Amino acid sequence: QAMELLPLLSERIGALKSPVWKVRLKTSLAQLIAVNNPDGARQLFEQSLQILEAIPVRRPRDTSFSAEALHAVELNSLRSEVLMRAAIADPQSAEALMGTMANSSATEPSDVEGSHRRKSHIIGQVSFALAKEQPELAAQWVEKSAQTGFTVWSHLALETLRQQNPKLADATFNRTLSQFESDPGADLHSVSALGSYLFSSTAPAMFLFTSKPDGDGHEIGFDLESMGLSGRRSPASDPDPELVSRYLNLAYERYVDSLSALSSGPVTAENPALQSVLTSLP
């Protein structure tokens, strides 16, 4: 009987004025019916995504916005909420939604880099959103970050996992490090962000250099105290010396490679390669 009422419920949700409530209710409904009606759940997740992409973004100093407009931070939070629920209910559906989300901002073929960057942020946000309630699933998403780029969100997810389950966090770090070691294309920003797991004193610098506009053009801000991640590690939880050695060897190798790449261009303030090296120095 409940399943027979779903079309009526979906119609009622569609009649709501608030796009935010439409997204949240459709997503909650999708999560509820995923076991008994996986196809219906995927359709609801997709509908939620379509509503999300149609919501206008409220830009700073812009007074001509509609009532439905949201700040980019709120919109990103809503995206990660949809994907987190999809990841719990149907991992395959979440993968497909993530790809669609990442590509929705790419209006031209030349915007592949922006799409890739957005995907890395989405993966990190989902892993962080999952970390407290679904640590095992969050660990899988943290490892996905190694394929697209390790971000501040990935770092926060790993720190949250360490508070929940230190063994799981260490194992996730170990596997992610192994991926970077076997991938010569792993960039310095990803290596730097990963290293903050071992060296907590580098986290503030990493946060500083990554507080630049993301794929949606807004700055990312973090309140570490409210997230419960501001405390320093105790001496009893010092990192494994073998992991430290492996990480430092990797970081040194990649950093020296980036320096040698500068020889192909002028070492000036305008050289983007030089800027990349400088921001990765901490």
Side-chain angles (χ1 to χ4, degrees):
Q1 287 180 329
M3 297 301 286
E4 289 174 0
L5 287 171
L6 287 180
L8 177 61
L9 179 56
S10 184
E11 184 180 333
R12 292 287 180 88
I13 293 173
L16 293 173
K17 290 184 179 180
S18 167
V20 172
W21 278 109
K22 283 183 184 179
V23 169
R24 288 210 168 113
L25 289 172
K26 280 182 178 288
T27 303
S28 297
L29 185 57
Q31 192 174 0
L32 282 172
I33 69 170
V35 174
N36 295 317
N37 187 356
D39 290 337
R42 286 171 190 165
Q43 288 180 8
L44 286 169
F45 281 129
E46 289 171 1
Q47 289 171 17
S48 298
L49 176 57
Q50 291 167 2
I51 296 170
L52 271 174
E53 297 308 318
I55 297 176
V57 181
R58 187 180 299 180
R59 301 294 180 185
R61 297 181 295 278
D62 180 10
T63 57
S64 59
F65 48 80
S66 66
E68 292 79 18
L70 291 178
H71 286 295
V73 173
E74 296 174 285
L75 201 52
N76 266 352
S77 175
L78 203 52
R79 284 193 186 107
S80 64
E81 183 179 332
V82 171
L83 269 176
M84 177 190 69
R85 290 177 179 271
I88 294 172
D90 184 353
Q92 290 183 340
S93 175
E95 291 277 357
L97 284 173
M98 181 183 64
T100 305
M101 273 189 187
N103 295 329
S104 63
S105 62
T107 56
E108 299 179 9
S110 59
D111 201 24
V112 173
E113 182 181 348
S115 175
H116 187 79
R117 186 169 61 250
R118 190 179 186 189
K119 189 173 183 178
S120 67
H121 277 290
I122 291 171
I123 291 176
Q125 288 167 350
V126 173
S127 60
F128 178 56
L130 287 167
K132 287 188 177 180
E133 302 298 329
Q134 300 276 340
E136 295 283 349
L137 188 56
Q140 296 175 24
W141 280 75
V142 169
E143 290 181 52
K144 291 180 193 291
S145 295
Q147 302 163 21
T148 58
F150 207 84
T151 67
V152 172
W153 292 106
S154 312
H155 164 77
L156 290 173
L158 206 50
E159 282 294 321
T160 305
L161 285 180
R162 176 156 55 191
Q163 294 183 357
Q164 305 282 340
N165 187 336
K167 288 186 178 180
L168 175 62
D170 284 350
T172 304
F173 173 88
N174 190 7
R175 288 191 291 268
T176 306
L177 178 60
S178 296
Q179 288 191 61
F180 282 163
E181 287 172 330
S182 61
D183 178 14
D187 60 48
L188 275 173
H189 289 293
S190 292
V191 173
S192 174
L194 181 67
S196 296
Y197 179 78
L198 295 177
F199 308 105
S200 58
S201 61
T202 68
M206 189 268 290
F207 274 77
L208 174 66
F209 284 111
T210 50
S211 62
K212 56 187 178 182
D214 70 356
D216 290 315
H218 73 278
E219 291 190 359
I220 305 173
F222 298 94
D223 182 353
L224 294 183
E225 289 189 10
S226 67
M227 291 175 175
L229 299 171
S230 58
R232 296 180 62 85
R233 302 178 69 178
S234 64
S237 60
D238 282 343
D240 182 340
E242 183 182 348
L243 286 181
V244 173
S245 176
R246 282 175 55 200
Y247 172 78
L248 289 177
N249 283 330
L250 172 67
Y252 176 80
E253 174 190 310
R254 298 301 164 85
Y255 194 77
V256 170
D257 285 348
S258 68
L259 290 175
S260 62
L262 290 176
S263 61
S264 60
V267 184
T268 64
E270 292 75 25
N271 186 342
L274 176 62
Q275 295 301 317
S276 176
V277 170
L278 290 176
T279 56
S280 300
L281 181 59

